[in-house]
Amino acid sequence: MRILVLGGDGYLGWPTALHLSQCGHDVAVADNFVRRQYDFELGMDSLVPIESLQTRVSTWQDLTGKTIKVYVGDLTEADFTYEMIRDFGPEAVVHFAEQRAAPYSMIDRKHAVYTQVNNVVGTLNLLYAIAEIDPEIHLVKLGTMGEYGTPNIDIEEGWLEVEHNGRTDRMLYPKRPGSFYHLSKVHDSHNMEFACRIWGLRATDLNQGVVYGQQTAETVLDDRLATRFDYDAVFGTVLNRFVVQAVLGHPLTVYGTGGQTRGIIDIRDTVRCIQLACENPAERGEFRVFNQMTESLSVADIAATVAKSYPGEVTVHNLDNPRVEKEEHYYKVVHSGLVELGLEPHLLSDTLITSLFDVAKRYSDRVDLNAMQPRVNWRGALDGVTR
Ligand code: UPG
């Protein structure tokens, strides 16, 4: 298949592009490099050094003989988006090209507005480009488990059968997200469902859990193919952060009681899920939703698992929670759709954590301890930032 990966220079977009290419698909990537720009803005950097996109792509070609075409541009510029879709003529578009950090979106008004404009307008341009150029294209879009929040009922895969006053209907599952970033994905989901219903597009919304890990079968082939490893309090995801903290002898930064429970997924399952979604497209007119996670763990359980796997001493520090989120709640999620398509989940294991410890140890001299402490507060009290 011809598959275009948007956000192909990022933490997950790059390993996904490699995996799809390795599976024999004809892959192109697009990126505007804004993820690297956020590092400059925040004074942070990936723990693992990463090469330029050009070096990554040429390394892949040298190693495998497979080519990956590169488009440099911004989805919020409609001309770029239309020209790219016309030029590459994809059968599937995998869309990672969004600002993806909840804390970044909560820094202040400017960052909230940027996140929502970037994410919602980019996706809307893409929907129009697909509808006008080739409505057969299957859009595979990264949503988030954070769209649902933590409702006191079971979380279904995107849709809910509702009975009300003796009548029934199948409605989009109600959303109660926890940040302006997560809200941007809710808005995207509604726009996509509308485009499927009104124009007959085909789309898959992958509501992904919190990703952990850094290596895939393809990225380990050469250091120059490595993907990012974020450990800072803005872009670092919780398990990856705890691994780096354990290695450094820094207390694990559990926010609040740690009772908050999240769906999680190994990066190796992420790339496989995208492959499965592309190779098994939604029907025309169908807005299909999968919950892309493999197990649920509380933050305290994640900390305990990391502490148990680490050979040295690990301490846990329960910080005042900088976020506004429930710390004790019901959490039960249906996530059978991708398994039915063939996903064989890698559940969280000591082996995976041990290999992550090795990555963290190898680059531990690159860690900036100042990046560890959360400074973005959901209640709006960030030092030194004007709104
Ligand atoms: N948390 C801690 N300590 C930390 C970091 C996080 O307790 O040092 C908690 C946090 O309060 C939250 C949970 O861990 O309850 C998960 O936080 P995090 O790993 O930062 O994930 P999210 O903010 O949910 O966002 C990530 C990705 C996002 C994706 C989402 C999927 O950044 O792009 O949509 O996971 O759920």
Side-chain angles (χ1 to χ4, degrees):
M1 294 177 72
R2 290 176 72 74
I3 306 179
L4 174 61
V5 180
L6 308 175
D9 188 46
Y11 169 49
L12 300 176
W14 173 242
T16 298
L18 290 183
H19 181 67
L20 294 172
S21 176
Q22 184 71 321
C23 291
H25 297 300
D26 185 2
V27 176
V29 293
D31 214 290
N32 66 350
F33 305 122
V34 74
R35 176 66 193 86
R36 295 174 188 247
Q37 192 59 42
Y38 306 144
D39 279 345
F40 293 128
E41 176 193 357
L42 300 169
M44 292 162 185
D45 202 357
S46 162
L47 178 69
V48 175
I50 52 169
E51 296 290 344
S52 68
L53 183 56
Q54 290 78 1
T55 303
R56 288 171 151 183
V57 165
S58 61
T59 305
W60 182 243
Q61 186 169 2
D62 292 347
L63 285 176
T64 65
K66 297 175 196 297
T67 54
I68 294 179
K69 185 164 184 175
V70 173
Y71 294 89
V72 176
D74 189 330
L75 293 182
T76 63
E77 286 163 22
D79 289 348
F80 164 75
T81 306
Y82 275 65
E83 276 162 30
M84 172 175 62
I85 299 286
R86 266 197 204 99
D87 183 67
F88 189 64
E91 293 160 88
V93 174
V94 178
H95 180 17
F96 282 100
E98 297 199 324
Q99 194 298 97
R100 66 112 184 127
Y104 188 87
S105 76
M106 298 299 289
I107 292 175
D108 61 4
R109 181 200 59 79
K110 200 173 87 180
H111 289 81
V113 171
Y114 162 76
T115 299
Q116 293 212 352
V117 170
N118 182 69
N119 294 2
V120 176
V121 173
T123 300
L124 199 49
N125 281 341
L126 183 61
L127 289 169
Y128 264 95
I130 291 173
E132 291 177 14
I133 295 166
D134 180 5
E136 283 296 325
I137 295 171
H138 177 210
L139 173 59
V140 177
K141 160 78 167 50
L142 271 292
T144 171
M145 285 303 298
E147 291 185 36
Y148 302 111
T150 51
N152 199 31
I153 56 172
D154 293 358
I155 296 176
E156 304 295 328
E157 293 203 274
W159 294 89
L160 185 65
E161 292 287 338
V162 178
E163 193 190 324
H164 182 63
N165 292 346
R167 303 183 65 81
T168 59
D169 203 349
R170 180 173 179 261
M171 331 263 297
L172 280 183
Y173 194 96
K175 307 288 175 67
R176 200 194 281 147
S179 75
F180 283 120
Y181 151 68
H182 291 101
L183 269 162
S184 73
K185 299 256 186 189
V186 174
H187 304 328
D188 286 336
S189 297
H190 282 105
N191 287 345
M192 287 161 64
E193 189 275 336
F194 181 79
C196 293
R197 181 160 42 89
I198 303 303
W199 297 330
L201 299 194
R202 56 171 103 230
T204 301
D205 206 5
L206 297 172
N207 285 335
Q208 183 161 249
V210 180
V211 179
Y212 59 87
Q214 189 261 340
Q215 295 176 327
T216 63
E218 291 81 24
T219 65
V220 294
L221 292 176
D222 190 297
D223 276 353
R224 291 168 296 171
L225 298 177
T227 194
R228 332 180 31 97
F229 189 150
D230 298 307
Y231 65 93
D232 61 271
V234 177
F235 277 91
T237 48
V238 63
L239 191 141
N240 283 3
R241 272 169 63 70
F242 287 174
V243 163
V244 175
Q245 291 166 353
V247 166
L248 291 175
H250 188 286
L252 309 192
T253 54
V254 170
Y255 298 166
T257 63
Q260 59 275 46
T261 299
R262 296 290 180 266
I264 62 172
I265 182 168
D266 185 309
I267 189 171
R268 294 170 295 175
D269 290 338
T270 291
V271 301
R272 172 79 175 137
C273 287
I274 306 284
Q275 177 203 347
L276 290 169
C278 291
E279 292 175 358
N280 300 277
E283 300 294 332
R284 285 290 302 270
E286 183 188 6
F287 176 65
R288 183 175 65 168
V289 184
F290 292 132
N291 292 338
Q292 186 163 306
M293 52 167 279
T294 56
E295 56 191 321
S296 299
L297 252 70
S298 73
V299 168
D301 287 339
I302 295 173
T305 311
V306 170
K308 181 172 65 72
S309 316
Y310 191 65
E313 200 194 328
V314 175
T315 55
V316 171
H317 187 187
N318 290 85
L319 304 180
D320 285 345
N321 197 334
R323 305 188 185 193
V324 177
E325 58 187 0
K326 282 189 194 147
E327 292 172 14
E328 305 301 328
H329 58 87
Y330 180 77
Y331 201 68
K332 186 156 172 250
V333 183
V334 175
H335 49 95
S336 47
L338 286 157
V339 173
E340 279 158 22
L341 290 184
L343 175 69
E344 291 169 25
H346 293 87
L347 298 182
L348 185 60
S349 67
D350 291 356
T351 331
L352 180 275
I353 298 182
T354 305
S355 73
L356 267 181
F357 287 142
D358 292 341
V359 176
K361 271 183 204 144
R362 178 172 170 199
Y363 296 107
S364 57
D365 60 328
R366 288 171 54 89
V367 173
D368 173 3
L369 280 178
N370 289 323
M372 219 51 107
Q373 228 49 27
R375 295 199 325 114
V376 181
N377 195 302
W378 263 229
R379 295 163 189 86
L382 179 69
D383 296 341
V385 174
T386 48
R387 287 180 181 79

